């Protein structure tokens, strides 16, 4: 069963996360940042994996540490849960529309962290969430999971819709990439290893 959990505590945040790629599909997110909870719920639900997140961060400063640290821990646990990555598709790509906005994500569970982020988010704040933190989350997640992650909002007007399209596409692409494919013998790499 591909599952991992941990608690990470610093002077800025305390983050408790469980990632379950095969077992429970339960999703429960509580970070103190409503919009971020909404996005993580979309990510896990559309990725068809279980995700429990409880974060208690220094929101009196702003949401930065909380969002970044949740991204770090989810990334670390995804990497741990995937183990040697045997028989996974490895790649996932998705376009997802959200009303007038179109989001795109293409990712490779390559062991090589890289983020390409191309989205114009005009509204700077959604509730107590700073929209520039979308990039921070994806950077932390891709770095610690070892994922090459490209995302783009092709067009759109409403910032909430644009970000929602990104997170839904992230879920769909990730769900595809982690899926066990019986046609793949061993590791899906001509090198024979994905670190
Ligand atoms: Mn929404």
């Amino acid at each position: 069963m591909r599952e991992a959990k941990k608690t990470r505590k610093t002077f800025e945040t305390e983050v408790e996360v469980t990632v379950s790629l095969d077992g429970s599909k339960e999703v429960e997110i509580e970070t103190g940042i409503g919009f971020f909870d909404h996005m993580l719920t979309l990510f896990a639900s559309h990725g068809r994996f279980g995700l429990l997140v409880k974060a208690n961060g220094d929101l009196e400063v702003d949401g930065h540490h909380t969002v970044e640290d949740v991204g770090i821990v989810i990334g670390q646990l995804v990497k741990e849960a995937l183990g040697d990555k045997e028989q996974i598709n490895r790649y996932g790509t998705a376009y997802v529309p959200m009303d007038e906005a179109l989001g795109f994500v293409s990712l490779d569970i390559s062991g090589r962290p890289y983020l390409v982020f191309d989205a114009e988010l005009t509204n700077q704040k959604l509730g107590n969430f700073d929209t520039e933190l979308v990039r921070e989350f994806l950077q932390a997640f891709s770095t610690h999971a070892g994922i090459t992650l490209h995302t783009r909002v092709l067009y759109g007007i409403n910032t909430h819709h644009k970000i929602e399209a990104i997170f839904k596409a992230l879920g769909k692409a990730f769900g595809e990439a982690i899926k066990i494919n019986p046609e793949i013998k061993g590791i899906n790499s001509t090198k024979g290893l994905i670190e």
Side-chain angles (χ1 to χ4, degrees):
M1 195 92 105
R2 298 176 300 170
E3 208 174 71
K5 66 189 284 184
K6 77 181 275 187
T7 301
R8 178 182 187 268
K9 194 174 175 6
T10 71
F11 293 126
E12 296 167 346
T13 67
E14 181 168 359
V15 177
E16 195 186 326
V17 178
T18 303
V19 168
S20 176
L21 304 181
D22 300 313
S24 161
K25 303 281 183 248
E26 194 190 348
V27 178
E28 208 181 308
I29 316 288
E30 216 179 296
T31 67
I33 306 169
F35 185 76
F36 188 42
D37 292 356
H38 181 27
M39 292 306 108
L40 291 180
T41 302
L42 293 175
F43 173 30
S45 303
H46 290 279
R48 306 271 179 268
F49 67 98
L51 182 65
L52 308 178
V53 176
K54 213 168 177 176
N56 201 341
D58 55 357
L59 298 182
E60 71 282 1
V61 178
D62 64 11
H64 196 117
H65 300 140
T66 301
V67 171
E68 188 176 17
D69 290 359
V70 167
I72 289 171
V73 178
I74 294 177
Q76 289 172 338
L77 293 175
V78 161
K79 192 181 174 109
E80 186 186 328
L82 282 170
D84 60 10
K85 307 179 179 75
E86 205 162 299
Q87 285 195 302
I88 64 166
N89 278 324
R90 178 180 163 181
Y91 301 100
T93 295
Y95 284 94
V96 173
M98 173 67 216
D99 291 354
E100 87 297 345
L102 184 66
F104 163 80
V105 168
S106 187
L107 59 84
D108 175 10
I109 303 176
S110 59
R112 294 189 313 279
Y114 205 100
L115 175 69
V116 176
F117 182 87
D118 183 12
E120 220 173 291
L121 304 173
T122 36
N123 192 350
Q124 290 175 10
K125 238 176 157 56
L126 296 166
N128 64 343
F129 179 82
D130 298 305
T131 57
E132 66 176 10
L133 296 179
V134 174
R135 191 198 184 109
E136 295 305 310
F137 172 78
L138 295 174
Q139 184 72 69
F141 170 69
S142 62
T143 297
H144 291 271
I147 291 178
T148 305
L149 170 54
H150 291 218
T151 186
R152 176 176 236 178
V153 173
L154 285 87
Y155 44 77
I157 298 164
N158 183 281
T159 304
H160 185 126
H161 290 168
K162 288 181 184 175
I163 299 173
E164 198 159 321
I166 291 175
F167 275 87
K168 284 176 169 171
L170 176 66
K172 274 187 71 74
F174 180 72
E176 177 67 23
I178 62 171
K179 213 178 274 168
I180 301 288
N181 182 342
E183 285 176 19
I184 297 166
K185 306 290 173 226
I187 313 281
N188 192 12
S189 165
T190 52
K191 238 186 335 195
L193 178 75
I194 306 173
E195 277 174 323

